Amino acid sequence: MLKISVLVSGGGTNLQALIDAQRNGILKSGRIVQVISSNEKAYALERAKAAGIPTDVIAPSAVPVREGGPLAVEGLLESKILEALKKFNPEVIVLAGFMKILSKNFIESCGAKIINIHPSLIPSFCGRGFYGLKVHEAVLNSGVKLTGATVHLVNEVPDGGEILAQKAVEILPDDTPERLQRRVMEQAEWVILPRAVEAVCKELSPKIFQYPVKYPGRGIITGCTPSGRRMLAYFIMGRSASSKARIFERSGDELIIKLTKQDKNFDPSLILYAPLRIFDGNIIITNGDQTDTVYDFLKAGKTFEEALRTRDYEPDEPHYTPRISAIMTPSGYKQSILKRAGKFFFEYKFEPGLGHFIHTYNNDVMPGKILPSFIGEPRSVKIPEDCEGFANSLWEELGPDYRVALYVRYYDEDGKYKDALFNSVND
Ligand code: GAR
């Protein structure tokens, strides 16, 4: 999940719209980590505090006026804002009623995408001098019949960056600047800002798949976070009704699959199995009952490879689905795929921030056709520090059509873990 800093100067109703969007799930690819106000009296600060978001005030009154005049003050203010931003290093900055124009130098050095909400339909009534109520006064004086709001990216031209979203609002005969401002906020700003911020965060979020997801089938990821915590993920996708009627359930520290509907004519042997078992600190993850084979071999003092050499791809003609497996030990992990083309094993040491990803099919979905098996080596994936964010992104990337269940587990150093479990029956 990306980090968002919100810069404010006033009432903070747009900040509130973002906080609400975060609560009701519209804003899910980023979270507000910080609010910075250029005004110590801004009510936006109260809103941030009520939502438990850390705040900073960087107001011109706090900056001593030096010989350099107003420009030097602006420069000092900006460097103080940059300092405050460094506490969180946000990927996205939202100007939500922030009444200062940021310099080219600030925009280039902040290291984030900056999004602004402006209360008119850009390119009308925008640029230097057009802010807050002044915009609505100018709109009413001009006699136009339509105004609105614009969300745009910030560049060195005031209100001149790429437009991300716009919404029009009609002007009514008895409008005052205040009434019009309120309607533009309610009908346009609070609606388009959260959606545009979500779209930008989603676009910037690191992807687990390096290609658009079609039908990768079942998948295993093992690896470790930038700080060295071990992690694993296992997902299943399905196309048939019986395959879709499955759920993951925790069973102590292990995982089982259950059917939500029982079909008498249906043989569940290939879709009901224990995907995750643990023997003596070794974590076994597979897409079939070879989990038990590996478990039994380890118990008998034998290896992961010895166990899997006794097994084969699945007998589900015409696909011959590969069996994918992984084992994670305290020092590293192995992955394996048993295909018609052969039996393959891959071995890795833990590397901070890196994982490997193997899936059963080569990500094609052609109705009625044979599903081509995964080709090549496990893909390397970047592993972020936060379990929930990783799990949410993976579930999102799998898409609503075929995803069935996902389990993600992040270990702490002491062997305890955090986990996340999704079942599509709960979508
Ligand atoms: C909003 O109408 C916003 O679009 C505008 O200030 C108001 C702040 O309200 N921004 C600009 O004029 C920027 N040029 P809020 O503090 O309640 O969100």
Side-chain angles (χ1 to χ4, degrees), residues 185-363:
M185 283 177 160
E186 281 173 3
Q187 293 178 12
E189 297 187 33
W190 306 339
V191 180
I192 61 175
L193 180 65
R195 290 187 194 156
V197 172
E198 167 58 22
V200 169
C201 289
K202 194 170 174 188
E203 176 74 29
L204 288 179
S205 296
K207 300 277 181 291
I208 295 153
F209 286 90
Q210 283 139 26
Y211 26 87
V213 177
K214 290 188 207 155
Y215 195 63
R218 267 64 71 190
I220 301 172
I221 301 173
T222 43
C224 83
T225 70
S227 75
R229 294 152 68 212
R230 297 183 299 156
M231 65 72 67
L232 61 91
Y234 181 59
F235 68 79
I236 58 176
M237 301 177 91
R239 298 181 307 160
S240 65
S242 47
S243 179
K244 282 187 165 173
R246 291 182 290 173
I247 51 167
F248 282 174
E249 225 176 72
R250 296 178 182 89
S251 164
D253 286 333
E254 301 185 338
L255 198 64
I256 52 173
I257 300 181
K258 280 191 171 170
L259 275 180
T260 54
K261 299 186 261 223
Q262 200 78 46
D263 176 349
K264 291 196 291 307
N265 305 318
F266 164 73
D267 167 16
S269 65
L270 289 176
I271 62 168
L272 290 185
Y273 53 89
L276 191 163
R277 293 190 69 188
I278 302 177
F279 177 76
D280 198 18
N282 298 292
I283 304 146
I284 310 155
I285 311 127
T286 91
N287 71 330
D289 61 8
Q290 72 270 27
T291 310
D292 300 331
T293 312
V294 175
Y295 184 96
D296 293 341
F297 269 65
L298 294 184
K299 205 169 165 194
K302 295 185 182 151
T303 64
F304 176 72
E305 289 86 343
E306 282 172 305
L308 291 172
R309 278 185 199 118
T310 69
R311 300 301 306 264
D312 249 314
Y313 49 85
E314 293 182 2
D316 62 338
E317 193 185 352
H319 306 299
Y320 300 109
T321 299
R323 286 188 192 270
I324 54 171
S325 313
I327 187 166
M328 199 153 75
T329 69
S331 60
Y333 53 94
K334 294 174 185 173
Q335 295 190 348
S336 155
I337 183 162
L338 311 177
K339 320 200 277 185
R340 284 227 281 180
K343 300 185 181 184
F344 302 90
F345 296 90
F346 308 91
E347 188 168 0
Y348 305 96
K349 288 246 173 306
F350 286 120
E351 250 184 73
L354 183 70
H356 286 88
F357 181 13
I358 192 156
H359 43 86
T360 52
Y361 304 126
N362 209 40
N363 193 32

Side-chain angles (χ1 to χ4, degrees), residues 8-15 44 47 95-99 116-120 127 130-133 135-136 149 159 181 184-185 189-190:
V8 296
S9 303
T13 59
N14 278 296
L15 166 67
R47 297 180 189 273
L95 310 183
F98 185 66
M99 299 303 167
N116 182 42
I117 173 91
H118 182 77
S120 78
F130 285 100
Y131 57 87
L133 268 183
V135 178
H136 303 289
D159 298 328
Q181 179 183 51
V184 168
M185 283 177 160
E189 297 187 33
W190 306 339

